[in-house]
Amino acid sequence: MELVFIIDVLENEIVRRQLNLQRRQLRDHSDPLTLPEITFKGLFRISRQLAQWVLDQILPHMRDSARTTAIPKGLRFFAALHFLSHGSYQRGVGQDYLTSMHQTSVSRCLTEVTDILVQVLGHLIKFPETEVEKNQEKQRFVDSGGFPGIIGCIDCTQVAIIAPKTEDPEMPGVVFYCRKQYYSLNVQIICNTKLKILNINARFPGSVHDSAIWQTSLVRRHLVNNFRGNGRQMTYLLGDAGYPLEPWLLTPIANPVTNSEREYNRRHKTIRNIIERTNGLLKQRFRCLLKHRTLHYAPERAAQIIYAAAIMHNLCIDRNEYLGDINDNCHEEENNNEVNNNNQNADEELDLPERNVLHQGRIVRNRVVENYCL
């Protein structure tokens, strides 16, 4: 009786291994790029053409493996892309008949691909630094109904992660518990009128306030230096009331009294809605960033995943691959005419004593209200 039982167990094990081998062979010989375009977009949230381009860019940087059971490089990329798009291990990449991967294998693919994306294509997230780049961004905001001087909108968004280790001496798990009552990273994003991400910072725990992240930002340092170098030139971001009023970061007026102040707040709110749409589009396409998906990775790895998703987001924007009706008016042709944003009516000399940043910010905001919000 025992011998019969052992034989049955061995036969079942042989059948199981044969099935696994067949699935692996099907997986290794599958090519998601042969799927119909509509099916491909449903699985990966981007077009086949864009996926092929990204694959061509990162393929030379992917490691070779001598293992006979190694996952082919192309399928590693699609495994990572599928996770970014859905935030789940449950659906097989290209459906189960195309690939068969364990959760651990998908995690390894995700680690490799996101690191390479950040390394190779990280330059696609770039804040405008030259005068030509700044003037182009400013003109786009003017064409969208904003006032001169705006080069971007800023806000933070929470990306849920699994609870980190509580015993970490530098960043214990409790600091990642955000005001929305879950563990997260507080991600600072700056975008332009096309919903393209100009800067992203995913290094801070969820409990850190938006304004604290801004104070350490390299973009802030750049704008401070720009202001000191040419205080009469108007160059600033738009932020909500959670940010401090500064000459390079304009916030709403708390208690508007005049019609001009109310018009300023109206236009400020309308233009700043761009950052809300950017955050929504980013999370709608790359659903691993949604709250209910929760990244089951350490904060450092979760940050790399966020950066990789932002890079892919910018690629989609550059190629006009939008989802649904979120794009609104983002397909308007760009106007490359430069705009002169110097305030010709400025009489006050704007220097920058650190103790007087708020006062200088009020001067800049008042000039905007008086000159452009009548």
Side-chain angles (χ1 to χ4, degrees):
M1 188 68 177
E2 292 182 1
L3 182 59
V4 173
F5 175 75
I6 293 174
I7 293 174
D8 288 342
V9 171
L10 291 175
E11 288 179 346
N12 290 336
E13 179 65 17
I14 292 172
V15 170
R16 186 186 68 82
R17 291 191 178 188
Q18 288 176 340
L19 287 174
N20 285 342
L21 180 60
Q22 291 174 0
R23 289 172 180 168
R24 186 179 297 120
Q25 290 173 340
L26 284 173
R27 179 200 71 191
D28 293 352
H29 289 87
S30 65
D31 184 5
L33 290 169
T34 61
L35 291 170
E37 182 70 17
I38 189 170
T39 305
F40 188 91
K41 283 188 174 181
L43 287 170
F44 303 109
R45 315 288 287 175
I46 64 174
S47 67
R48 288 183 300 179
Q49 183 180 8
L50 178 55
Q52 181 66 71
W53 185 88
V54 175
L55 182 59
D56 291 341
Q57 301 302 307
I58 70 172
L59 206 58
H61 302 272
M62 299 183 73
R63 67 179 184 273
D64 295 312
S65 177
R67 295 173 54 194
T68 57
T69 59
I71 300 172
K73 293 180 180 179
L75 289 183
R76 290 184 228 162
F77 166 69
F78 285 112
L81 181 59
H82 185 272
F83 179 87
L84 290 174
S85 303
H86 296 278
S88 173
Y89 301 101
Q90 301 307 313
R91 292 178 65 190
V93 178
Q95 301 295 355
D96 288 337
Y97 66 86
L98 282 174
T99 62
S100 178
M101 294 189 193
H102 190 271
Q103 175 176 330
T104 305
S105 299
V106 175
S107 291
R108 285 197 295 265
C109 296
L110 185 65
T111 297
E112 179 185 17
V113 171
T114 52
D115 284 347
I116 295 174
L117 279 173
V118 173
Q119 175 188 352
V120 176
L121 299 176
H123 63 275
L124 296 175
I125 300 177
K126 183 179 183 297
F127 190 79
E129 295 181 353
T130 67
E131 289 305 312
V132 173
E133 292 172 340
K134 290 175 184 177
N135 286 334
Q136 287 176 346
E137 296 297 347
K138 291 174 184 179
Q139 184 63 54
R140 293 187 186 112
F141 275 100
V142 170
D143 294 342
S144 299
F147 28 80
I150 308 170
I151 58 171
C153 295
I154 183 173
D155 200 3
C156 287
T157 184
Q158 301 285 349
V159 175
I161 62 172
I162 195 172
K165 296 180 180 179
T166 57
E167 64 273 12
D168 191 307
E170 295 184 2
M171 284 193 176
V174 66
V175 302
F176 290 89
Y177 198 73
C178 70
R179 58 184 174 81
K180 297 182 179 180
Q181 299 184 342
Y182 58 85
Y183 293 94
S184 69
L185 292 173
N186 196 11
V187 183
Q188 177 183 276
I189 295 177
I190 300 173
C191 74
N192 65 9
T193 56
K194 297 173 63 180
L195 311 187
K196 186 174 181 178
I197 296 174
L198 304 178
N199 179 265
I200 185 169
N201 186 343
R203 296 185 297 110
F204 287 86
S207 66
V208 179
H209 195 273
D210 297 3
S211 60
I213 299 175
W214 168 244
Q215 291 298 320
T216 66
S217 174
L218 293 177
V219 171
R220 182 179 185 273
R221 185 182 305 172
H222 169 74
L223 293 178
V224 169
N225 293 335
N226 178 77
F227 184 84
R228 284 174 170 163
N230 187 359
R232 289 183 179 272
Q233 187 177 28
M234 297 170 61
T235 301
Y236 42 76
L237 302 174
L238 295 188
D240 62 21
Y243 288 96
L245 173 62
E246 298 175 335
W248 45 85
L249 176 57
L250 299 189
T251 58
I253 298 174
N255 298 297
V257 176
T258 66
N259 289 335
S260 295
E261 291 178 343
R262 285 189 282 269
E263 175 64 13
Y264 165 84
N265 273 5
R266 185 193 68 79
R267 294 174 68 179
H268 187 288
K269 181 178 180 180
T270 300
I271 293 299
R272 208 191 63 80
N273 179 257
I274 290 170
I275 186 64
E276 306 295 342
R277 293 161 56 206
T278 300
N279 288 335
L281 180 57
L282 174 66
K283 291 185 176 182
Q284 184 183 8
R285 186 184 297 275
F286 301 107
R287 298 179 177 181
C288 66
L289 306 182
L290 291 171
K291 173 189 172 183
H292 62 277
R293 298 298 166 94
T294 306
L295 293 173
H296 286 247
Y297 295 93
E300 296 78 11
R301 175 50 47 193
Q304 286 292 93
I305 294 173
I306 294 168
Y307 293 142
I311 291 168
M312 294 298 300
H313 168 88
N314 277 3
L315 280 170
C316 293
I317 296 298
D318 287 340
R319 294 174 180 247
N320 294 322
E321 292 192 13
Y322 294 92
L323 290 175
D325 296 323
I326 293 185
N327 55 320
D328 292 333
N329 298 320
C330 289
H331 290 294
E332 295 178 357
E333 292 185 2
E334 298 180 9
N335 185 341
N336 292 322
N337 295 327
E338 294 187 2
V339 61
N340 183 1
N341 292 296
N342 292 336
N343 189 345
Q344 302 297 332
N345 298 321
D347 293 325
E348 298 182 62
E349 189 66 27
L350 296 182
D351 57 355
L352 187 63
E354 290 299 331
R355 64 184 181 278
N356 212 18
V357 171
L358 177 59
H359 175 66
Q360 301 291 350
R362 286 173 177 160
I363 292 174
V364 174
R365 188 171 66 181
N366 288 340
R367 287 176 181 170
V368 172
V369 172
E370 293 169 4
N371 295 317
Y372 305 107
C373 300
L374 298 177

